[in-house]
């Protein structure tokens, strides 16, 4: 059996007129950090994502990702650039600046590929279920210590 540090995280190339770079899917830590740093935008986008994801009416198949990516870029360009920079492992001021300067088609391609890798490698339902279990455990712990409603 291999070692954790020897794992190769799946990446896909993004081609731009100025060259290519690789992106990976976002980790749970990436997603939580992005959400915490962009709470207002992320909450609105999450609501819109749910509407977009339910667009086919069955809830079994997602509509084409391009529609959601276009909405993300137009409504939250800094958040979109942060996603790209994180997925390219360039989450620095310089990496964010470059992600913000990418042409719109390159940003769209990068975000679509990040979504594809994330979808192939992540069970979103399991993450959601895990988050619910953590939240419930935290509420129970606060209640047991008589802190429920007192912590902001």
């Amino acid at each position: 059996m291999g070692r954790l540090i020897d794992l190769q995280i799946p990446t896909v190339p993004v081609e731009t007129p100025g060259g290519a770079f690789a992106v990976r899917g976002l980790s749970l830590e990436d997603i939580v950090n992005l959400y915490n740093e962009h709470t207002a935008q992320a909450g609105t986008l999450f609501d819109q994502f749910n509407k977009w994801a339910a667009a086919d009416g069955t809830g079994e198949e997602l509509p084409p990702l391009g529609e959601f990516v276009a909405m993300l870029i137009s409504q939250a360009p800094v958040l979109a650039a942060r996603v790209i920079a994180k997925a390219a492992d360039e989450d620095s001021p310089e990496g964010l600046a470059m992600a913000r300067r990418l042409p719109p088609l390159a940003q769209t391609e990068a975000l679509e590929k990040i979504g594809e890798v994330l979808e192939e490698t992540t069970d979103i339902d399991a993450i959601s279920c895990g988050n619910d279990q953590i939240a419930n455990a935290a509420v129970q712990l606060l209640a047991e210590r008589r802190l429920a409603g007192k912590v902001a």
Side-chain angles (χ1 to χ4, degrees):
M1 180 165 294
R3 298 175 351 147
L4 176 64
I5 61 174
D6 295 331
L7 288 178
Q8 297 296 315
I9 303 297
T11 62
V12 293
V14 177
E15 301 291 334
T16 73
F21 63 98
V23 293
R24 60 175 171 77
L26 298 178
S27 68
L28 181 57
E29 181 179 359
D30 293 333
I31 294 167
V32 169
N33 287 340
L34 286 165
Y35 181 82
N36 289 337
E37 294 165 11
H38 301 273
T39 302
Q41 291 175 326
T44 300
L45 287 168
F46 184 73
D47 292 340
Q48 292 174 341
F49 175 83
N50 284 334
K51 289 178 188 170
W52 165 80
D56 78 336
T58 66
E60 294 178 14
E61 193 170 312
L62 293 176
L65 190 58
E67 182 182 324
F68 181 73
V69 166
M71 182 177 51
L72 174 62
I73 291 172
S74 69
Q75 294 185 9
V78 174
L79 177 57
R82 286 289 313 281
V83 168
I84 294 167
K86 276 193 178 291
D89 289 322
E90 297 283 348
D91 193 24
S92 64
E94 297 83 10
L96 177 59
M98 181 56 76
R100 292 178 75 177
R101 288 194 306 266
L102 287 172
L105 290 177
Q107 286 183 331
T108 301
E109 180 183 353
L111 291 167
E112 286 179 344
K113 288 191 174 185
I114 293 163
E116 289 169 8
V117 173
L118 187 62
E119 188 177 337
E120 290 173 7
T121 60
T122 306
D123 184 347
I124 299 298
D125 290 337
I127 291 172
S128 178
C129 180
N131 287 344
D132 289 347
Q133 290 172 343
I134 291 169
N136 288 336
V139 168
Q140 182 178 355
L141 179 62
L142 290 171
E144 287 172 4
R145 302 218 174 165
R146 296 194 174 121
L147 296 173
K150 297 178 184 176
V151 178

